[in-house]
Amino acid sequence: MSIPIKPSLTASILLLATLHLVGCGDQGTDQVLKLGHSLPTSHPVHKALEQMALQVQQASQGTLRMDIYPNEQLGSEREMVEQVQLGSLHLVKTSASPLEGFIPEIGVFTVPYLFDDAAHLWETLEGEIGRELLDSGKGKGLIGLCYYDAGSRSFYTKERPIDRPGDLEGLKIRVQNSKTAMQMVEAMGGAPTPIAFGELYTSLEQGVVDGAENNPPSFLSSRHYEVCKFYGLDEHSSVPDVVLVSEAAWNRLTEAQQDIIRQAANDAAMFQRELWQQETKRALETLEAEGVEISRPDKAPFRASVQALHESYRNTPVGDLIARIRQLRTAPSE
Ligand code: GCU
């Protein structure tokens, strides 16, 4: 359940809290950093964030503390990113998709069928492009720390399986707050409906939408499978998650504190990637045991349906990034 916060009220209250908590560190006073995210506590992302919090506490000998607010308690991902921009929230873990409303180039990660495989995705994220995009929120109040694995997203539906794009015809499909995600579902023939993750269970249950799309651990831990019994693994996109820190809060930390946070973020990201593999396998097994019909459709018609979308990016900043990402696979290895 999300507990939406009224922006006008929170902006001022939380800003005061930030100034108080992050601004008075030099006297050895404990400082609290708040991190918000959208997922339940059973999700591998939450477990990795808990490890990050523990490492921050230990490495700072208790002078820095990171409090985690899961389940969209602080608002939708979009709202949390806004709070981080304002400095009223210190950190957020968000999918890269809603970030494109703040940093348009990050929209590249939501482009369907962009990566050949997981190795291609990680080569991109760990290389120059990944670093550039983490840094691209600087000056907009957002500093990217690291990426988390969010696997591949596929459609899950209430009434019938999605085995070819035509099956989406006439169906309302929940997407993240992202123009690219909307364009993708439209190109495939469905009717995209952006809804916050925390509101999706009820929206599915009440028939506001007929289906959604996500990776197996999120489909499982959100319990959306209780309502949607069909999961067609077309794996249309591999949108990573991103951990971001508020530029305002960051600038108030000492260099030593910044190093502690960076190190803890990187170590937790490695842990999260390990967890991801086993959790994805476990999620698929559990979903099947819970009566979800899992299919593995031919991806070719899905790819073909977004061909024109890919071409529409030509000569745009996202198009240039797509070309560089594709180039990683065609260039001879160094
Ligand atoms: C993924 C992602 C979340 C996001 C969710 C969504 O599970 O990890 O950060 O909230 O997708 O579809 O909204």
Side-chain angles (χ1 to χ4, degrees), residues 38-39 77 93-95 153 174 176 197 214-215 218 241:
S38 64
L39 297 163
E77 290 192 327
K93 193 296 304 165
T94 175
S95 166
R153 300 176 75 95
R174 179 270 176 174
Q176 297 194 80
F197 192 62
N214 220 316
N215 54 58
S218 297
D241 279 357

Side-chain angles (χ1 to χ4, degrees), residues 269-281:
M270 293 315 291
F271 172 59
Q272 193 270 347
R273 276 174 69 183
E274 275 166 34
L275 266 186
W276 191 261
Q277 296 309 320
Q278 68 211 46
E279 289 290 322
T280 298
K281 189 169 172 281

